Amino acid sequence: MISSVQKISRILNCFTKDEPALGNLQIAEKLNMNASTVHHLVRTLCSEGILIQDSQKKYRLGWKLLEWSNHVMYQQDINTEALPLCEGLVRRFNTTVHIGMLDSGEVRFVLRVASSNSVPVPTFIGDTKPAYCTSTGKVLLSFNPSMIKPTISRGLLRRAPNTITCVEKLKDELSSIRANGYAISNNENELGLYGIAAPIKSYTGQTIAALNMVGPVSYMLGQDTPYMIHHVVKTAESISKELGYISVL
Amino acid sequence: MISSVQKISRILNCFTKDEPALGNLQIAEKLNMNASTVHHLVRTLCSEGILIQDSQKKYRLGWKLLEWSNHVMYQQDINTEALPLCEGLVRRFNTTVHIGMLDSGEVRFVLRVASSNSVPVPTFIGDTKPAYCTSTGKVLLSFNPSMIKPTISRGLLRRAPNTITCVEKLKDELSSIRANGYAISNNENELGLYGIAAPIKSYTGQTIAALNMVGPVSYMLGQDTPYMIHHVVKTAESISKELGYISVL
DNA sequence: TGGTGTAATTTCATAATATGAAATCTCTTA
DNA sequence: TAAGAGATTTCATATTATGAAATTACACCA
């Protein structure tokens, strides 16, 4: 049994950066659904502003999604408080900056800031990545120890040359991250990427999110890395100070 | 007959800035729907990431909406190209800046930039306002003459002391806006607000959106208004140059 | 510890809505 | 202007959503 919610979700998922506009038949084919069924759904989605139909009769994601996304709680706070600080980092280092949160034992990216100068990095808002082999995830785990066991129990698969696949080594790594106040990931999740992450804390002291800056290994190591780390940590601290409290995820 | 799309849309619309978290019964009451019906929908919405359930069992808008909103076509381009320029305006003048597009004869705001220093202005992304009595709308109308007639035919209601309610006067106003390259709205739509708007054009020369800067009348007239206008126009031109082409709405 | 109240969640027979094959419309291209 | 491709509509039927009532979960308090 497939519910209407799932059908709608699938339809909206058809639209991507590479295919921002789709015709009725294109959607129906992609989803292996009947064209008239899709048509009914798509028409109603249009009438709600969730899709719009452009001049070539292709459908596109609509303004209603913008409206809703602006009410997503953490997004509100992040836009007001964290965005300008993240943009500062991007400008200073020509990198890509993310904010990630733990979601069911994985890292979910809720903010991404890059510019046309940023060294390109393939990440997307809403994506998840494993927690044990990303700088963001390791920060979140080290400051949320209750999540360590469930993460480990799913297994530590090798994903890149330096992935930590030994439970004991991971625990040691998380301890030193907790001690240092930041995490590094160098070729641990994706070949060629180097990330720095630091905790963002609420007023209760709980680490609710992590600030992350990524770039190609060669680029990042060609910079003054300690200086970068210092700025990531300081920025995360500023965000923590400003954010106050977020209760979600 | 009420479709599943509408039901879902209504549920998501329940979540606002003021009520970012709602329980099952709260939603059911608001919508006058059966609690178990709402529950079924809400559960599936959670499993798709469209809602999330927080630690107090309240539901909130979820990360999936962020993901989709990032694929909304104009949002992509606007975030990359226009956002930094808008932020520059906000910083320089301590105002609130919008980008609006024509949508079925009304102005739909697709971007809003403000800061904690901005003089507060009550506007929201996704909102619509009448075209004939807002600076943004007047710019869009004056550069898209085919929309003038349908707008007028809905009537020109007085909404504030200076609303233009005479068709001839509006046509004159639109001509001079076309000649000047910018529009002013002073107490025309909302009491106490003063707006400046300038056209954003695609490479075809078509005006596809308008840049708008608003503030309280007293604040705006206390500044160097011509200087502000100059900057709004210049910024809109820069965005036009960068944006290239947007085909939606 | 147990009792009470509130809200979330589940169940399942029934009511209501979604489905899809085929017909029709609407462009675009030759 | 004819042919083709895709969008759109129709309507009898299949499928899914609905909601009253039962159950569970949990917080608060004596």
Side-chain angles (χ1 to χ4, degrees):
Chain A
M1 161 162 157
I2 172 162
S3 71
S4 53
V5 173
Q6 287 175 305
K7 277 175 281 195
I8 293 165
S9 187
R10 285 188 195 175
I11 288 177
L12 298 184
N13 280 331
C14 288
F15 298 89
T16 63
K17 244 188 244 298
D18 300 325
E19 298 189 291
L22 295 168
N24 192 15
L25 285 185
Q26 287 178 288
I27 299 171
E29 266 177 45
K30 255 183 190 263
L31 299 178
N32 202 23
M33 286 170 78
N34 180 285
S36 79
T37 301
V38 170
H39 186 255
H40 277 297
L41 286 168
V42 146
R43 284 324 354 241
T44 326
L45 288 166
C46 280
S47 71
E48 296 289 323
I50 299 168
L51 293 179
I52 56 172
Q53 195 171 30
D54 68 17
S55 47
Q56 296 120 65
K57 298 220 165 208
K58 301 271 185 194
Y59 297 95
R60 293 166 181 276
L61 297 177
W63 49 265
K64 195 75 186 177
L65 296 167
L66 291 184
E67 195 178 315
W68 286 330
S69 76
N70 265 74
H71 290 156
V72 175
M73 211 258 200
Y74 38 85
Q75 184 70 355
Q76 256 185 66
D77 295 335
I78 284 171
N79 269 332
T80 317
E81 312 298 348
L83 192 56
L85 293 168
C86 292
E87 286 168 342
L89 278 182
V90 167
R91 266 197 301 278
R92 187 189 290 265
F93 297 114
N94 287 330
T95 49
T96 303
V97 166
H98 302 95
I99 288 179
M101 299 176 112
L102 271 187
D103 181 8
S104 322
E106 296 202 293
V107 178
R108 174 88 58 189
F109 290 103
V110 296
L111 180 80
R112 179 184 197 265
V113 185
S115 79
S116 38
N117 297 323
S118 300
V119 187
V121 157
T123 52
F124 302 97
I125 284 194
D127 260 12
T128 56
K129 300 204 170 181
Y132 66 93
C133 55
T134 54
S135 58
T136 315
K138 289 192 294 182
V139 162
L140 291 168
L141 287 180
S142 70
F143 289 93
N144 291 283
S146 65
M147 294 307 293
I148 297 178
K149 193 179 279 250
T151 304
I152 288 174
S153 68
R154 296 203 209 160
L156 307 179
L157 295 180
R158 176 171 303 285
R159 297 173 51 92
N162 301 339
T163 309
I164 299 175
T165 54
C166 159
V167 172
E168 285 315 310
K169 276 201 178 170
L170 182 62
K171 285 184 175 172
D172 289 351
E173 168 84 352
L174 295 179
S175 309
S176 58
I177 288 169
R178 196 159 34 238
N180 295 334
Y182 67 87
I184 298 292
S185 153
N186 178 347
N187 265 319
E188 289 178 35
N189 178 55
E190 201 158 339
L191 188 60
L193 285 192
Y194 184 104
I196 303 168
I200 294 175
K201 302 183 180 190
S202 79
Y203 77 92
T204 63
Q206 201 198 348
T207 296
I208 49 167
L211 180 69
N212 158 263
M213 188 161 93
V214 218
V217 175
S218 54
Y219 177 79
M220 297 293 275
L221 295 180
Q223 310 288 112
D224 183 347
T225 316
Y227 182 68
M228 282 180 147
I229 294 172
H230 174 257
H231 269 280
V232 171
V233 172
K234 282 293 164 201
T235 306
E237 283 173 5
S238 306
I239 295 173
S240 301
K241 218 177 282 175
E242 293 207 348
L243 264 188
Y245 176 61
I246 298 180
S247 69
V248 291
L249 290 186
Chain B
M1 162 162 154
I2 172 161
S3 72
S4 53
V5 172
Q6 287 175 305
K7 278 176 279 194
I8 293 165
S9 186
R10 285 187 194 176
I11 289 178
L12 298 185
N13 281 332
C14 288
F15 298 88
T16 62
K17 245 186 245 296
D18 299 325
E19 297 189 292
L22 295 168
N24 192 16
L25 285 184
Q26 287 178 288
I27 299 171
E29 265 177 46
K30 257 183 189 260
L31 299 178
N32 201 23
M33 287 170 77
N34 180 284
S36 78
T37 301
V38 169
H39 187 254
H40 278 296
L41 287 168
V42 147
R43 268 4 313 264
T44 327
L45 287 167
C46 280
S47 71
E48 296 290 325
I50 299 167
L51 293 179
I52 57 173
Q53 195 171 29
D54 67 19
S55 47
Q56 296 119 66
K57 298 222 166 207
K58 301 271 184 193
Y59 297 95
R60 292 165 181 277
L61 297 177
W63 48 265
K64 195 73 184 178
L65 296 166
L66 291 184
E67 195 179 315
W68 286 330
S69 76
N70 265 75
H71 290 155
V72 175
M73 211 257 201
Y74 39 84
Q75 183 71 353
Q76 257 185 67
D77 295 336
I78 284 170
N79 269 332
T80 317
E81 312 297 350
L83 191 56
L85 293 168
C86 292
E87 285 168 342
L89 277 182
V90 168
R91 265 195 302 278
R92 186 188 290 264
F93 296 113
N94 287 330
T95 49
T96 302
V97 167
H98 303 94
I99 289 180
M101 300 174 111
L102 271 187
D103 181 7
S104 321
E106 296 203 294
V107 178
R108 173 88 60 187
F109 290 103
V110 296
L111 180 81
R112 179 185 197 265
V113 186
S115 79
S116 38
N117 297 324
S118 300
V119 187
V121 156
T123 52
F124 303 96
I125 283 194
D127 260 12
T128 56
K129 299 205 170 181
Y132 65 94
C133 54
T134 54
S135 58
T136 315
K138 289 192 294 183
V139 162
L140 290 168
L141 288 180
S142 70
F143 289 93
N144 291 282
S146 66
M147 295 306 294
I148 296 177
K149 192 180 280 253
T151 303
I152 288 173
S153 69
R154 297 203 209 159
L156 306 179
L157 295 180
R158 178 171 305 283
R159 298 174 49 92
N162 300 340
T163 309
I164 301 174
T165 53
C166 160
V167 172
E168 285 316 309
K169 276 201 178 168
L170 182 61
K171 285 185 175 171
D172 289 351
E173 167 83 351
L174 294 179
S175 310
S176 58
I177 288 170
R178 197 158 34 239
N180 295 334
Y182 68 88
I184 299 291
S185 152
N186 179 346
N187 265 320
E188 289 179 35
N189 178 54
E190 200 158 340
L191 188 59
L193 286 192
Y194 184 104
I196 304 168
I200 295 175
K201 301 184 180 189
S202 78
Y203 75 93
T204 63
Q206 201 199 348
T207 296
I208 50 167
L211 179 70
N212 158 265
M213 188 161 93
V214 216
V217 174
S218 55
Y219 177 79
M220 297 293 275
L221 295 180
Q223 309 288 111
D224 182 347
T225 315
Y227 183 68
M228 283 180 146
I229 293 172
H230 174 256
H231 270 280
V232 171
V233 172
K234 283 293 164 200
T235 306
E237 283 173 5
S238 306
I239 295 173
S240 302
K241 220 179 279 175
E242 292 206 348
L243 265 188
Y245 177 62
I246 297 180
S247 69
V248 291
L249 290 185

